Amino acid sequence: MDSEDNTQPEAIDLVDAPDGSYYMRVHYFTDSGAGQSTATIRVYIEGVLESQYSQQMIHNQVWDVGFIRWPEGYLIEENATPYAYEGTRSCH
């Protein structure tokens, strides 16, 4: 779920996820004039909080957090420094 007005957290729930690797990335798409913000990722596996990450970000930055290998439930941390997004920007 995407929070376009910052009144609620964004959430992604995968129920019955197919086997594979699921990358966790944050794209601070637009700041609507608010400036720098703190992004926080909480990773739950089978309902248990496995890890939490926070990073300061500015408009149009991408943060590569890591990935989860499923069905093993392995959490592989990347926690890279945010970088400027250079792809085509779209809300679709």
Side-chain angles (χ1 to χ4, degrees), residues 41-71:
I41 301 291
R42 291 182 188 95
V43 180
Y44 292 84
I45 298 177
E46 300 285 339
V48 175
L49 179 62
E50 292 293 328
S51 197
Q52 178 173 308
Y53 307 94
S54 292
Q55 181 67 251
Q56 293 288 316
M57 299 180 71
I58 60 173
H59 167 74
N60 203 38
Q61 280 188 323
V62 174
W63 170 33
D64 295 330
V65 181
F67 63 96
I68 298 170
R69 193 161 289 144
W70 194 255

PDB file of all heavy atoms in Angstrom, residues 41-71:
ATOM      1  N   ILE A  41      12.199   0.548   7.783  1.00  0.00           N
ATOM      2  CA  ILE A  41      11.745  -0.741   7.268  1.00  0.00           C
ATOM      3  C   ILE A  41      11.727  -1.724   8.426  1.00  0.00           C
ATOM      4  O   ILE A  41      12.718  -1.886   9.133  1.00  0.00           O
ATOM      5  CB  ILE A  41      12.718  -1.277   6.188  1.00  0.00           C
ATOM      6  CG1 ILE A  41      12.853  -0.312   5.035  1.00  0.00           C
ATOM      7  CG2 ILE A  41      12.300  -2.675   5.727  1.00  0.00           C
ATOM      8  CD1 ILE A  41      11.624  -0.185   4.202  1.00  0.00           C
ATOM      9  N   ARG A  42      10.592  -2.379   8.617  1.00  0.00           N
ATOM     10  CA  ARG A  42      10.489  -3.459   9.598  1.00  0.00           C
ATOM     11  C   ARG A  42      10.205  -4.731   8.820  1.00  0.00           C
ATOM     12  O   ARG A  42       9.255  -4.783   8.042  1.00  0.00           O
ATOM     13  CB  ARG A  42       9.383  -3.185  10.599  1.00  0.00           C
ATOM     14  CG  ARG A  42       9.697  -2.040  11.528  1.00  0.00           C
ATOM     15  CD  ARG A  42       8.588  -1.818  12.563  1.00  0.00           C
ATOM     16  NE  ARG A  42       8.852  -0.607  13.294  1.00  0.00           N
ATOM     17  CZ  ARG A  42       8.347   0.592  12.994  1.00  0.00           C
ATOM     18  NH1 ARG A  42       7.514   0.717  11.976  1.00  0.00           N
ATOM     19  NH2 ARG A  42       8.658   1.650  13.704  1.00  0.00           N
ATOM     20  N   VAL A  43      11.022  -5.754   9.034  1.00  0.00           N
ATOM     21  CA  VAL A  43      10.894  -7.003   8.308  1.00  0.00           C
ATOM     22  C   VAL A  43      10.352  -8.068   9.250  1.00  0.00           C
ATOM     23  O   VAL A  43      10.979  -8.391  10.263  1.00  0.00           O
ATOM     24  CB  VAL A  43      12.252  -7.461   7.725  1.00  0.00           C
ATOM     25  CG1 VAL A  43      12.092  -8.773   6.963  1.00  0.00           C
ATOM     26  CG2 VAL A  43      12.846  -6.382   6.838  1.00  0.00           C
ATOM     27  N   TYR A  44       9.176  -8.579   8.910  1.00  0.00           N
ATOM     28  CA  TYR A  44       8.550  -9.656   9.667  1.00  0.00           C
ATOM     29  C   TYR A  44       8.589 -10.909   8.803  1.00  0.00           C
ATOM     30  O   TYR A  44       8.222 -10.864   7.624  1.00  0.00           O
ATOM     31  CB  TYR A  44       7.092  -9.328   9.985  1.00  0.00           C
ATOM     32  CG  TYR A  44       6.911  -8.189  10.950  1.00  0.00           C
ATOM     33  CD1 TYR A  44       6.916  -6.872  10.512  1.00  0.00           C
ATOM     34  CD2 TYR A  44       6.714  -8.434  12.305  1.00  0.00           C
ATOM     35  CE1 TYR A  44       6.741  -5.819  11.398  1.00  0.00           C
ATOM     36  CE2 TYR A  44       6.532  -7.392  13.199  1.00  0.00           C
ATOM     37  CZ  TYR A  44       6.544  -6.088  12.736  1.00  0.00           C
ATOM     38  OH  TYR A  44       6.362  -5.047  13.617  1.00  0.00           O
ATOM     39  N   ILE A  45       9.007 -12.012   9.387  1.00  0.00           N
ATOM     40  CA  ILE A  45       8.970 -13.302   8.705  1.00  0.00           C
ATOM     41  C   ILE A  45       8.150 -14.244   9.569  1.00  0.00           C
ATOM     42  O   ILE A  45       8.459 -14.435  10.750  1.00  0.00           O
ATOM     43  CB  ILE A  45      10.386 -13.852   8.455  1.00  0.00           C
ATOM     44  CG1 ILE A  45      11.148 -12.883   7.535  1.00  0.00           C
ATOM     45  CG2 ILE A  45      10.317 -15.259   7.845  1.00  0.00           C
ATOM     46  CD1 ILE A  45      12.580 -13.270   7.260  1.00  0.00           C
ATOM     47  N   GLU A  46       7.085 -14.776   8.968  1.00  0.00           N
ATOM     48  CA  GLU A  46       6.153 -15.645   9.701  1.00  0.00           C
ATOM     49  C   GLU A  46       5.602 -14.932  10.947  1.00  0.00           C
ATOM     50  O   GLU A  46       5.435 -15.539  12.005  1.00  0.00           O
ATOM     51  CB  GLU A  46       6.806 -16.974  10.081  1.00  0.00           C
ATOM     52  CG  GLU A  46       7.303 -17.793   8.906  1.00  0.00           C
ATOM     53  CD  GLU A  46       6.191 -18.463   8.128  1.00  0.00           C
ATOM     54  OE1 GLU A  46       5.079 -18.641   8.665  1.00  0.00           O
ATOM     55  OE2 GLU A  46       6.433 -18.817   6.965  1.00  0.00           O
ATOM     56  N   GLY A  47       5.366 -13.609  10.830  1.00  0.00           N
ATOM     57  CA  GLY A  47       4.784 -12.843  11.917  1.00  0.00           C
ATOM     58  C   GLY A  47       5.745 -12.392  12.996  1.00  0.00           C
ATOM     59  O   GLY A  47       5.352 -11.737  13.959  1.00  0.00           O
ATOM     60  N   VAL A  48       7.039 -12.705  12.853  1.00  0.00           N
ATOM     61  CA  VAL A  48       8.048 -12.351  13.857  1.00  0.00           C
ATOM     62  C   VAL A  48       8.929 -11.236  13.296  1.00  0.00           C
ATOM     63  O   VAL A  48       9.445 -11.339  12.170  1.00  0.00           O
ATOM     64  CB  VAL A  48       8.914 -13.580  14.218  1.00  0.00           C
ATOM     65  CG1 VAL A  48      10.031 -13.189  15.174  1.00  0.00           C
ATOM     66  CG2 VAL A  48       8.055 -14.683  14.803  1.00  0.00           C
ATOM     67  N   LEU A  49       9.109 -10.173  14.082  1.00  0.00           N
ATOM     68  CA  LEU A  49       9.984  -9.078  13.664  1.00  0.00           C
ATOM     69  C   LEU A  49      11.424  -9.596  13.623  1.00  0.00           C
ATOM     70  O   LEU A  49      11.988  -9.961  14.647  1.00  0.00           O
ATOM     71  CB  LEU A  49       9.876  -7.894  14.627  1.00  0.00           C
ATOM     72  CG  LEU A  49      10.766  -6.693  14.316  1.00  0.00           C
ATOM     73  CD1 LEU A  49      10.416  -6.078  12.963  1.00  0.00           C
ATOM     74  CD2 LEU A  49      10.655  -5.651  15.423  1.00  0.00           C
ATOM     75  N   GLU A  50      11.994  -9.648  12.425  1.00  0.00           N
ATOM     76  CA  GLU A  50      13.356 -10.152  12.247  1.00  0.00           C
ATOM     77  C   GLU A  50      14.395  -9.036  12.319  1.00  0.00           C
ATOM     78  O   GLU A  50      15.494  -9.250  12.799  1.00  0.00           O
ATOM     79  CB  GLU A  50      13.489 -10.873  10.905  1.00  0.00           C
ATOM     80  CG  GLU A  50      12.704 -12.151  10.830  1.00  0.00           C
ATOM     81  CD  GLU A  50      13.235 -13.238  11.752  1.00  0.00           C
ATOM     82  OE1 GLU A  50      14.451 -13.296  11.984  1.00  0.00           O
ATOM     83  OE2 GLU A  50      12.407 -14.024  12.237  1.00  0.00           O
ATOM     84  N   SER A  51      14.043  -7.858  11.801  1.00  0.00           N
ATOM     85  CA  SER A  51      15.005  -6.760  11.789  1.00  0.00           C
ATOM     86  C   SER A  51      14.293  -5.447  11.484  1.00  0.00           C
ATOM     87  O   SER A  51      13.177  -5.435  10.967  1.00  0.00           O
ATOM     88  CB  SER A  51      16.084  -7.016  10.738  1.00  0.00           C
ATOM     89  OG  SER A  51      17.200  -6.198  10.979  1.00  0.00           O
ATOM     90  N   GLN A  52      14.980  -4.365  11.808  1.00  0.00           N
ATOM     91  CA  GLN A  52      14.464  -3.029  11.522  1.00  0.00           C
ATOM     92  C   GLN A  52      15.631  -2.170  11.059  1.00  0.00           C
ATOM     93  O   GLN A  52      16.721  -2.239  11.622  1.00  0.00           O
ATOM     94  CB  GLN A  52      13.819  -2.431  12.767  1.00  0.00           C
ATOM     95  CG  GLN A  52      13.311  -1.020  12.565  1.00  0.00           C
ATOM     96  CD  GLN A  52      12.524  -0.512  13.747  1.00  0.00           C
ATOM     97  OE1 GLN A  52      11.606  -1.161  14.207  1.00  0.00           O
ATOM     98  NE2 GLN A  52      12.879   0.657  14.228  1.00  0.00           N
ATOM     99  N   TYR A  53      15.385  -1.353  10.037  1.00  0.00           N
ATOM    100  CA  TYR A  53      16.410  -0.471   9.480  1.00  0.00           C
ATOM    101  C   TYR A  53      15.819   0.921   9.315  1.00  0.00           C
ATOM    102  O   TYR A  53      14.649   1.060   8.976  1.00  0.00           O
ATOM    103  CB  TYR A  53      16.864  -0.968   8.098  1.00  0.00           C
ATOM    104  CG  TYR A  53      17.301  -2.399   8.089  1.00  0.00           C
ATOM    105  CD1 TYR A  53      16.412  -3.415   7.762  1.00  0.00           C
ATOM    106  CD2 TYR A  53      18.613  -2.746   8.396  1.00  0.00           C
ATOM    107  CE1 TYR A  53      16.805  -4.745   7.752  1.00  0.00           C
ATOM    108  CE2 TYR A  53      19.016  -4.072   8.384  1.00  0.00           C
ATOM    109  CZ  TYR A  53      18.108  -5.058   8.058  1.00  0.00           C
ATOM    110  OH  TYR A  53      18.503  -6.373   8.054  1.00  0.00           O
ATOM    111  N   SER A  54      16.640   1.947   9.511  1.00  0.00           N
ATOM    112  CA  SER A  54      16.210   3.334   9.286  1.00  0.00           C
ATOM    113  C   SER A  54      17.301   4.065   8.523  1.00  0.00           C
ATOM    114  O   SER A  54      18.498   3.788   8.697  1.00  0.00           O
ATOM    115  CB  SER A  54      15.938   4.051  10.606  1.00  0.00           C
ATOM    116  OG  SER A  54      14.803   3.506  11.239  1.00  0.00           O
ATOM    117  N   GLN A  55      16.865   5.007   7.681  1.00  0.00           N
ATOM    118  CA  GLN A  55      17.811   5.758   6.865  1.00  0.00           C
ATOM    119  C   GLN A  55      17.221   7.126   6.539  1.00  0.00           C
ATOM    120  O   GLN A  55      16.045   7.236   6.198  1.00  0.00           O
ATOM    121  CB  GLN A  55      18.073   4.990   5.564  1.00  0.00           C
ATOM    122  CG  GLN A  55      19.044   5.627   4.621  1.00  0.00           C
ATOM    123  CD  GLN A  55      20.442   5.671   5.160  1.00  0.00           C
ATOM    124  OE1 GLN A  55      20.931   6.749   5.512  1.00  0.00           O
ATOM    125  NE2 GLN A  55      21.097   4.537   5.275  1.00  0.00           N
ATOM    126  N   GLN A  56      18.037   8.172   6.653  1.00  0.00           N
ATOM    127  CA  GLN A  56      17.638   9.505   6.220  1.00  0.00           C
ATOM    128  C   GLN A  56      17.695   9.548   4.698  1.00  0.00           C
ATOM    129  O   GLN A  56      18.661   9.077   4.093  1.00  0.00           O
ATOM    130  CB  GLN A  56      18.589  10.567   6.792  1.00  0.00           C
ATOM    131  CG  GLN A  56      18.513  10.721   8.291  1.00  0.00           C
ATOM    132  CD  GLN A  56      17.215  11.394   8.707  1.00  0.00           C
ATOM    133  OE1 GLN A  56      16.773  12.371   8.112  1.00  0.00           O
ATOM    134  NE2 GLN A  56      16.592  10.854   9.734  1.00  0.00           N
ATOM    135  N   MET A  57      16.649  10.110   4.089  1.00  0.00           N
ATOM    136  CA  MET A  57      16.591  10.183   2.634  1.00  0.00           C
ATOM    137  C   MET A  57      16.070  11.534   2.185  1.00  0.00           C
ATOM    138  O   MET A  57      15.368  12.215   2.933  1.00  0.00           O
ATOM    139  CB  MET A  57      15.676   9.075   2.090  1.00  0.00           C
ATOM    140  CG  MET A  57      16.148   7.679   2.414  1.00  0.00           C
ATOM    141  SD  MET A  57      15.048   6.416   1.744  1.00  0.00           S
ATOM    142  CE  MET A  57      15.407   6.588  -0.015  1.00  0.00           C
ATOM    143  N   ILE A  58      16.408  11.887   0.952  1.00  0.00           N
ATOM    144  CA  ILE A  58      15.876  13.087   0.325  1.00  0.00           C
ATOM    145  C   ILE A  58      15.161  12.691  -0.965  1.00  0.00           C
ATOM    146  O   ILE A  58      15.314  11.566  -1.459  1.00  0.00           O
ATOM    147  CB  ILE A  58      16.971  14.146   0.057  1.00  0.00           C
ATOM    148  CG1 ILE A  58      18.055  13.587  -0.864  1.00  0.00           C
ATOM    149  CG2 ILE A  58      17.559  14.652   1.367  1.00  0.00           C
ATOM    150  CD1 ILE A  58      19.074  14.625  -1.319  1.00  0.00           C
ATOM    151  N   HIS A  59      14.406  13.632  -1.501  1.00  0.00           N
ATOM    152  CA  HIS A  59      13.625  13.453  -2.731  1.00  0.00           C
ATOM    153  C   HIS A  59      14.409  12.707  -3.806  1.00  0.00           C
ATOM    154  O   HIS A  59      15.542  13.042  -4.098  1.00  0.00           O
ATOM    155  CB  HIS A  59      13.197  14.838  -3.237  1.00  0.00           C
ATOM    156  CG  HIS A  59      12.657  14.846  -4.616  1.00  0.00           C
ATOM    157  ND1 HIS A  59      11.408  14.369  -4.926  1.00  0.00           N
ATOM    158  CD2 HIS A  59      13.208  15.250  -5.783  1.00  0.00           C
ATOM    159  CE1 HIS A  59      11.199  14.513  -6.211  1.00  0.00           C
ATOM    160  NE2 HIS A  59      12.277  15.032  -6.752  1.00  0.00           N
ATOM    161  N   ASN A  60      13.786  11.690  -4.385  1.00  0.00           N
ATOM    162  CA  ASN A  60      14.267  10.900  -5.514  1.00  0.00           C
ATOM    163  C   ASN A  60      15.491  10.036  -5.202  1.00  0.00           C
ATOM    164  O   ASN A  60      16.201   9.629  -6.108  1.00  0.00           O
ATOM    165  CB  ASN A  60      14.528  11.765  -6.747  1.00  0.00           C
ATOM    166  CG  ASN A  60      14.471  10.934  -8.008  1.00  0.00           C
ATOM    167  OD1 ASN A  60      13.654  10.028  -8.131  1.00  0.00           O
ATOM    168  ND2 ASN A  60      15.341  11.223  -8.945  1.00  0.00           N
ATOM    169  N   GLN A  61      15.721   9.717  -3.949  1.00  0.00           N
ATOM    170  CA  GLN A  61      16.778   8.773  -3.618  1.00  0.00           C
ATOM    171  C   GLN A  61      16.211   7.359  -3.528  1.00  0.00           C
ATOM    172  O   GLN A  61      15.028   7.162  -3.247  1.00  0.00           O
ATOM    173  CB  GLN A  61      17.435   9.111  -2.280  1.00  0.00           C
ATOM    174  CG  GLN A  61      18.448  10.214  -2.363  1.00  0.00           C
ATOM    175  CD  GLN A  61      19.205  10.362  -1.063  1.00  0.00           C
ATOM    176  OE1 GLN A  61      18.666  10.218   0.027  1.00  0.00           O
ATOM    177  NE2 GLN A  61      20.484  10.683  -1.178  1.00  0.00           N
ATOM    178  N   VAL A  62      17.093   6.380  -3.750  1.00  0.00           N
ATOM    179  CA  VAL A  62      16.767   4.966  -3.607  1.00  0.00           C
ATOM    180  C   VAL A  62      17.704   4.381  -2.552  1.00  0.00           C
ATOM    181  O   VAL A  62      18.894   4.688  -2.522  1.00  0.00           O
ATOM    182  CB  VAL A  62      16.949   4.207  -4.936  1.00  0.00           C
ATOM    183  CG1 VAL A  62      16.750   2.714  -4.743  1.00  0.00           C
ATOM    184  CG2 VAL A  62      15.990   4.742  -5.981  1.00  0.00           C
ATOM    185  N   TRP A  63      17.139   3.555  -1.705  1.00  0.00           N
ATOM    186  CA  TRP A  63      17.904   2.891  -0.645  1.00  0.00           C
ATOM    187  C   TRP A  63      17.730   1.391  -0.822  1.00  0.00           C
ATOM    188  O   TRP A  63      16.622   0.877  -0.750  1.00  0.00           O
ATOM    189  CB  TRP A  63      17.387   3.366   0.703  1.00  0.00           C
ATOM    190  CG  TRP A  63      17.874   2.660   1.907  1.00  0.00           C
ATOM    191  CD1 TRP A  63      19.096   2.088   2.122  1.00  0.00           C
ATOM    192  CD2 TRP A  63      17.141   2.459   3.124  1.00  0.00           C
ATOM    193  NE1 TRP A  63      19.166   1.550   3.374  1.00  0.00           N
ATOM    194  CE2 TRP A  63      17.980   1.771   4.012  1.00  0.00           C
ATOM    195  CE3 TRP A  63      15.864   2.800   3.529  1.00  0.00           C
ATOM    196  CZ2 TRP A  63      17.568   1.408   5.283  1.00  0.00           C
ATOM    197  CZ3 TRP A  63      15.457   2.446   4.801  1.00  0.00           C
ATOM    198  CH2 TRP A  63      16.305   1.773   5.664  1.00  0.00           C
ATOM    199  N   ASP A  64      18.831   0.686  -1.090  1.00  0.00           N
ATOM    200  CA  ASP A  64      18.820  -0.766  -1.196  1.00  0.00           C
ATOM    201  C   ASP A  64      19.011  -1.343   0.199  1.00  0.00           C
ATOM    202  O   ASP A  64      20.100  -1.265   0.771  1.00  0.00           O
ATOM    203  CB  ASP A  64      19.933  -1.252  -2.123  1.00  0.00           C
ATOM    204  CG  ASP A  64      19.729  -0.801  -3.563  1.00  0.00           C
ATOM    205  OD1 ASP A  64      18.570  -0.644  -3.971  1.00  0.00           O
ATOM    206  OD2 ASP A  64      20.734  -0.610  -4.272  1.00  0.00           O
ATOM    207  N   VAL A  65      17.946  -1.900   0.754  1.00  0.00           N
ATOM    208  CA  VAL A  65      17.951  -2.391   2.135  1.00  0.00           C
ATOM    209  C   VAL A  65      18.504  -3.810   2.216  1.00  0.00           C
ATOM    210  O   VAL A  65      19.279  -4.139   3.107  1.00  0.00           O
ATOM    211  CB  VAL A  65      16.537  -2.327   2.748  1.00  0.00           C
ATOM    212  CG1 VAL A  65      16.553  -2.802   4.186  1.00  0.00           C
ATOM    213  CG2 VAL A  65      15.976  -0.916   2.647  1.00  0.00           C
ATOM    214  N   GLY A  66      18.117  -4.674   1.292  1.00  0.00           N
ATOM    215  CA  GLY A  66      18.556  -6.059   1.298  1.00  0.00           C
ATOM    216  C   GLY A  66      17.550  -6.931   0.584  1.00  0.00           C
ATOM    217  O   GLY A  66      16.766  -6.448  -0.216  1.00  0.00           O
ATOM    218  N   PHE A  67      17.575  -8.228   0.884  1.00  0.00           N
ATOM    219  CA  PHE A  67      16.583  -9.112   0.291  1.00  0.00           C
ATOM    220  C   PHE A  67      16.307 -10.300   1.198  1.00  0.00           C
ATOM    221  O   PHE A  67      17.064 -10.602   2.107  1.00  0.00           O
ATOM    222  CB  PHE A  67      16.967  -9.548  -1.129  1.00  0.00           C
ATOM    223  CG  PHE A  67      18.218 -10.358  -1.250  1.00  0.00           C
ATOM    224  CD1 PHE A  67      18.175 -11.747  -1.292  1.00  0.00           C
ATOM    225  CD2 PHE A  67      19.456  -9.742  -1.351  1.00  0.00           C
ATOM    226  CE1 PHE A  67      19.320 -12.499  -1.425  1.00  0.00           C
ATOM    227  CE2 PHE A  67      20.613 -10.487  -1.484  1.00  0.00           C
ATOM    228  CZ  PHE A  67      20.543 -11.866  -1.521  1.00  0.00           C
ATOM    229  N   ILE A  68      15.180 -10.919   0.926  1.00  0.00           N
ATOM    230  CA  ILE A  68      14.754 -12.106   1.661  1.00  0.00           C
ATOM    231  C   ILE A  68      14.719 -13.258   0.675  1.00  0.00           C
ATOM    232  O   ILE A  68      14.152 -13.134  -0.416  1.00  0.00           O
ATOM    233  CB  ILE A  68      13.355 -11.911   2.276  1.00  0.00           C
ATOM    234  CG1 ILE A  68      13.390 -10.775   3.281  1.00  0.00           C
ATOM    235  CG2 ILE A  68      12.857 -13.209   2.912  1.00  0.00           C
ATOM    236  CD1 ILE A  68      12.030 -10.344   3.761  1.00  0.00           C
ATOM    237  N   ARG A  69      15.333 -14.346   1.040  1.00  0.00           N
ATOM    238  CA  ARG A  69      15.292 -15.557   0.216  1.00  0.00           C
ATOM    239  C   ARG A  69      14.219 -16.463   0.794  1.00  0.00           C
ATOM    240  O   ARG A  69      14.245 -16.818   1.969  1.00  0.00           O
ATOM    241  CB  ARG A  69      16.659 -16.239   0.236  1.00  0.00           C
ATOM    242  CG  ARG A  69      16.766 -17.308  -0.829  1.00  0.00           C
ATOM    243  CD  ARG A  69      18.185 -17.683  -1.147  1.00  0.00           C
ATOM    244  NE  ARG A  69      18.836 -16.589  -1.863  1.00  0.00           N
ATOM    245  CZ  ARG A  69      20.116 -16.275  -1.693  1.00  0.00           C
ATOM    246  NH1 ARG A  69      20.866 -16.932  -0.851  1.00  0.00           N
ATOM    247  NH2 ARG A  69      20.652 -15.298  -2.376  1.00  0.00           N
ATOM    248  N   TRP A  70      13.227 -16.780  -0.061  1.00  0.00           N
ATOM    249  CA  TRP A  70      12.074 -17.540   0.394  1.00  0.00           C
ATOM    250  C   TRP A  70      12.002 -18.863  -0.341  1.00  0.00           C
ATOM    251  O   TRP A  70      12.284 -18.886  -1.531  1.00  0.00           O
ATOM    252  CB  TRP A  70      10.790 -16.732   0.132  1.00  0.00           C
ATOM    253  CG  TRP A  70       9.620 -17.266   0.853  1.00  0.00           C
ATOM    254  CD1 TRP A  70       8.585 -17.988   0.318  1.00  0.00           C
ATOM    255  CD2 TRP A  70       9.360 -17.162   2.249  1.00  0.00           C
ATOM    256  NE1 TRP A  70       7.708 -18.328   1.301  1.00  0.00           N
ATOM    257  CE2 TRP A  70       8.172 -17.825   2.502  1.00  0.00           C
ATOM    258  CE3 TRP A  70      10.045 -16.577   3.307  1.00  0.00           C
ATOM    259  CZ2 TRP A  70       7.629 -17.928   3.772  1.00  0.00           C
ATOM    260  CZ3 TRP A  70       9.507 -16.666   4.563  1.00  0.00           C
ATOM    261  CH2 TRP A  70       8.318 -17.333   4.784  1.00  0.00           C
ATOM    262  N   PRO A  71      11.713 -19.983   0.278  1.00  0.00           N
ATOM    263  CA  PRO A  71      11.008 -20.158   1.543  1.00  0.00           C
ATOM    264  C   PRO A  71      11.915 -20.275   2.761  1.00  0.00           C
ATOM    265  O   PRO A  71      11.442 -20.432   3.884  1.00  0.00           O
ATOM    266  CB  PRO A  71      10.239 -21.465   1.328  1.00  0.00           C
ATOM    267  CG  PRO A  71      11.148 -22.279   0.475  1.00  0.00           C
ATOM    268  CD  PRO A  71      11.815 -21.277  -0.452  1.00  0.00           C
TER     269      PRO A  71
END
